[in-house]
Structure formats: C-alpha cells, structure tokens
Amino acid sequence: RTQLGDINAKRDVFYTTASQIEDIQDPGEMRQTLRQKVREKTPSDNLIKQTLIDKDMNIHSGWRYRVRLYLASIEEYRDSSKLVRLDNIDIEHIAPRKTFKKDRYYQWRRKFDKEEFMNHRRKLGNLTLLKENEHKDLDETSFGDKMNTYRNTSQIITKEITKYNNWDAEAIRSRTERMAEDLVERWSIP
C-alpha cells in the first residue's frame, strides 16, 4: 500500500506510528492503532485499484522486482497454500512487447492495431509468471503457440489465460481490472 503513496506518507506510516505504539501493551489495541494509521497515511482502496489499472508496468531495473511481487501476490492470493519463489520466476508478456517491431510476431498484429497495442502492452493484465525454464523455451509466435506452455505450468495466473479464446485489448482490460481487484483485496486493511 505504501508504494503508491508519497515518500512522506511512507516515513509517517513506519516511524511516527512506531513511536505511537511503542508503549501500548495490549496486542489488540496495537493492531487497531496500526490499522488506523495505515488507513490514514496510505491511498484508499479505490485509488490503489485505479492506479493499478491505469499504470504501465515497467519491468526495467528496480521496477522489475516490484512487478514480480505484484504478480506473485496475486498468485498467492489465488492459492493461499502457495509461496512463490522469486528467484526462479520470470515475468512473461502475453502479447509480446515487440509485436510491432519483429516480423515473427505477425500473427499478433492481427489482433491489435498499433496504437491500441502500445496502450495495452505494459498493463498488468498483459503480464503473467512463468518459471525461467518455461519462459526460455516458450514459442511466442502466436497466442495459440503459447497455450501449451500456459496449460502445463504450475502458475495459476498463467493457467487461467487458457480460458481466453483470443488475446486482444479487451482481454487485457478485463484481466487488468480483475488483477487490480485481487491486489486491493489482498492488501486491504480490515
């Protein structure tokens, strides 16, 4: 939640709140105070959801880890018994990032016009998780070619993609919204 707030909000949540609860002895009162301070100092659930829907997910440098955490959080939310190991997992773009730059992706271009694709390629809904070895061996030439890998992976959020008949802007929009709702539900402060 704090990642979507400003730096001062983060500082307030952790430092100010810590000083305010250090003398509280009752665990229930301490939890209640923590919840209240986090709610006061971080964005609302609605703002978090809208930010996740609107935001391009940059997977370069330090942002890669954050996006991987978002996806792992959704995976763990869908299967609460699972703990995703981040050291052997890759971020997969369902519609390849370079659809309009490489000839081998011509089949993908049938599903998108260029502007539409550029507006959706980095959205949360166009991203999923694959183990490194699955990602390395993935045939990306078409959505159909990706289905075998997606069907056989252990990643729930990736298997779910096989329910789609087509991968286009509407599929990305609807999946982005669902994933944003899942993250808000997981991060919500009761």
Side-chain angles (χ1 to χ4, degrees):
R1 291 186 74 89
T2 61
Q3 292 300 325
L4 296 173
D6 65 38
I7 191 70
N8 292 326
K10 291 178 206 175
R11 191 174 297 118
D12 284 350
V13 167
F14 297 115
Y15 298 117
T16 307
T17 303
S19 69
Q20 291 174 346
I21 65 166
E22 68 183 334
D23 295 328
I24 298 174
Q25 298 299 313
D26 178 46
E29 183 183 347
M30 186 181 290
R31 276 191 295 278
Q32 185 60 31
T33 301
L34 283 170
R35 285 185 185 115
Q36 177 186 349
K37 294 301 177 185
V38 168
R39 275 195 296 271
E40 288 172 7
K41 304 288 185 181
T42 61
S44 69
D45 288 351
N46 287 337
L47 181 58
I48 291 172
K49 178 183 172 186
Q50 197 58 53
T51 300
L52 289 166
I53 289 169
D54 295 341
K55 185 173 180 58
D56 279 349
M57 298 291 154
N58 183 343
I59 63 161
H60 301 291
S61 64
W63 292 97
R64 179 181 210 84
Y65 186 73
R66 184 178 295 176
V67 173
R68 192 178 288 157
L69 285 174
Y70 290 170
L71 294 168
S73 187
I74 296 166
E75 179 74 15
E76 291 169 355
Y77 178 71
R78 304 258 173 92
D79 180 355
S80 60
S81 68
K82 189 178 210 174
L83 179 63
V84 175
R85 291 191 47 202
L86 299 175
D87 59 342
N88 71 338
I89 205 88
D90 278 340
I91 297 169
E92 153 70 354
H93 285 78
I94 301 161
R97 285 179 288 180
K98 298 184 179 184
T99 291
F100 282 87
K101 292 184 179 179
K102 294 195 175 186
D103 290 339
R104 69 181 178 164
Y105 298 137
Y106 72 92
Q107 291 184 48
W108 286 99
R109 290 191 290 274
R110 294 179 188 167
K111 302 289 182 186
F112 297 94
D113 68 40
K114 190 170 184 173
E115 182 180 347
E116 182 179 61
F117 175 75
M118 298 306 278
N119 289 332
H120 289 85
R121 68 184 177 149
R122 291 190 175 124
K123 297 298 183 194
L124 184 61
N126 192 46
L127 303 175
T128 195
L129 294 173
L130 283 175
K131 291 187 177 177
E132 287 177 342
N133 62 320
E134 294 169 331
H135 198 223
K136 182 179 63 102
D137 296 334
L138 183 65
D139 180 356
E140 297 186 312
T141 53
S142 73
F143 184 60
D145 292 331
K146 288 187 170 195
M147 286 298 102
N148 285 335
T149 300
Y150 290 179
R151 235 179 250 108
N152 294 315
T153 188
S154 62
Q155 308 307 313
I156 293 168
I157 64 171
T158 306
K159 278 185 185 218
E160 291 172 348
I161 297 163
T162 63
K163 295 176 184 173
Y164 290 89
N165 294 324
N166 294 305
W167 196 252
D168 55 18
E170 183 51 40
I172 295 170
R173 269 192 295 278
S174 67
R175 187 166 183 265
T176 297
E177 188 162 322
R178 179 171 179 232
M179 293 170 85
E181 288 169 358
D182 288 349
L183 284 171
V184 167
E185 180 69 27
R186 183 166 171 97
W187 296 340
S188 188
I189 306 296

